[in-house]
Amino acid sequence: MKVLVATEKPFAGVAVKGIREIVEAAGHELALLEKYTDSKDLLKAVKDADALIVRSDKVTADVVAAAKNLKIVVRAGAGYDNLDLDALSAAKVVAMNTPGQNSNAVAELAVSFMVYMSRNQYTPATGSELKGKTLGVQAYGNVGRLVANIAKGFGMEIMAFDPFIPAEKIEADGVKVASSLEELYSSSNFISLHIPVTPQTKGSIGYALLSRMPKGGCLVNTARKEVINEAELVKVLTEREDLKYITDIAADNQAELNEKFGVRVFATPKKMGAQTSEANINAGLAAARQICDFFATGNTRFQLNRF
Ligand code: 3PG
């Protein structure tokens, strides 16, 4: 079988080496398409691929249509909003992700973002400490839990909101459970977002929630830009000169944000949450193993779609 790794933002070399070893040891062939800048290159490369490993690369209906031999696609990572699951299901292609494999890298970045903003982007202006502040974790999944755990080491109080996880499970970690999103935002000096993009979450973080944050509040986004209502973000940052926003996924209106709000906002030049050797190795090798196991035994653990 031909396994294509298509990564616009490549894995570290050591991860690619590990993926190759796993794929070839199972008797398959590895093909690489890295740093492509035109989606046409992906359409060409998938033509004869039996399996596909991607990161945030968009697997659209066109890609699925071009990939006549495709049986499985694995998103090496957690969020799978880049996969057209309907198109994949219609073509009877199994879609998987590798949950948890890159979570620590994202969690470390989220906590470092809090330090960076508390210290005014490392300018000499007097900053503040994380100790004693409250962190609100919005969605207590793999990343949210790790963020909470690291932040405890800074002496922060942690509160979380996650309607999909029983309160007892969250409380067992020494984390307070907010009864509503409104309570989470009203109580937290920092909010760290760990929600996926869904029809329900799209544009859901806006004026109503952010205006509730205590003085000096900071929103930390290592999730997705689509969950933010960007126009309302501008409005609240304009009205509340104490609020801050830091993101790993530049907003569509990032230039406007930077110009208007200076050191109160920051966006990384390119999404870097999962860009560590460790995360690349964990997620990349897991993806390769899941594909080889699927071909060898039909194992569909981590399958995201049903058909
Ligand atoms: C994820 O959903 O796993 C993260 O957003 C990482 O995305 P990346 O692989 O494109 O860095």
Side-chain angles (χ1 to χ4, degrees):
M1 299 281 180
K2 184 165 179 176
V3 180
L4 173 68
V5 175
T7 46
E8 175 271 323
K9 180 176 64 188
F11 289 119
V14 61
V16 175
K17 188 169 173 277
I19 292 170
R20 182 180 295 285
E21 281 165 10
I22 291 168
V23 167
E24 291 180 353
H28 306 303
E29 181 196 339
L30 188 86
L32 266 184
L33 174 70
E34 292 183 321
K35 289 189 189 169
Y36 59 95
T37 48
D38 191 334
S39 57
K40 285 195 194 102
D41 295 339
L42 178 57
L43 291 178
K44 233 187 269 165
V46 292
K47 272 201 160 76
D48 58 349
D50 298 282
L52 176 62
I53 296 175
V54 291
R55 296 185 62 177
S56 291
D57 308 77
K58 287 194 173 33
V59 180
T60 60
D62 284 350
V63 173
V64 178
K68 298 274 179 258
N69 296 343
L70 197 62
K71 294 150 190 75
I72 177 168
V73 49
V74 180
R75 194 283 192 235
Y80 50 88
D81 44 301
N82 54 320
L83 307 182
D84 186 333
L85 288 186
D86 290 338
L88 287 162
S89 299
K92 298 207 174 347
V93 176
V94 170
M96 295 185 188
N97 63 350
T98 65
Q101 298 290 351
N102 58 18
S103 303
N104 188 66
V106 180
E108 287 188 9
L109 187 77
V111 176
S112 77
F113 273 3
M114 293 194 269
V115 177
Y116 189 56
M117 293 309 270
S118 299
R119 298 304 183 99
N120 303 307
Q121 297 193 27
Y122 300 157
T123 59
T126 302
S128 56
E129 300 178 19
L130 300 188
K131 189 175 178 181
K133 306 294 187 303
T134 297
L135 164 64
V137 178
Q138 186 173 347
Y140 200 71
N142 289 314
V143 183
R145 206 176 55 246
L146 286 165
V147 168
N149 200 38
I150 299 168
K152 273 186 228 160
F154 279 82
M156 298 184 87
E157 300 290 329
I158 321 291
M159 188 180 250
F161 179 79
D162 193 324
F164 302 103
I165 298 183
E168 313 82 74
K169 262 194 140 174
I170 300 175
E171 282 161 354
D173 290 350
V175 171
K176 278 190 219 149
V177 174
S179 57
S180 64
L181 266 184
E182 287 72 21
E183 187 193 359
L184 188 80
Y185 278 73
S186 301
S187 314
S188 302
N189 305 102
F190 295 85
I191 292 283
S192 194
L193 297 176
H194 303 293
I195 47 176
V197 188
T198 65
Q200 291 72 38
T201 64
K202 221 171 179 180
S204 63
I205 312 301
Y207 189 86
L209 289 173
L210 294 169
S211 58
R212 289 177 169 270
M213 290 188 80
K215 193 167 177 348
C218 179
L219 177 66
V220 176
N221 187 4
T222 54
R224 294 287 185 269
K225 69 175 179 187
E226 290 84 356
V227 302
I228 306 286
N229 181 323
E230 295 179 350
E232 292 189 20
L233 177 65
V234 172
K235 180 171 149 67
V236 76
L237 288 171
T238 305
E239 279 183 22
R240 289 274 310 271
E241 289 185 9
D242 56 304
L243 293 184
K244 297 174 180 177
Y245 178 59
I246 182 163
T247 182
D248 191 27
I249 322 92
D252 289 337
N253 62 348
Q254 194 64 45
E256 178 192 2
L257 292 175
N258 292 344
E259 195 190 310
K260 286 193 165 141
F261 306 114
V263 289
R264 290 168 53 210
V265 297
F266 179 80
T268 52
K270 197 168 177 88
K271 189 165 89 166
M272 57 180 286
Q275 198 60 355
T276 64
S277 303
E278 293 90 337
N280 285 182
I281 290 168
N282 290 341
L285 272 55
R289 287 195 189 100
Q290 285 172 216
I291 286 170
C292 294
D293 201 23
F294 171 74
F295 285 138
T297 70
N299 187 346
T300 52
R301 194 175 169 215
F302 303 120
Q303 184 168 350
L304 300 163
N305 56 344
R306 297 280 167 252
F307 47 83

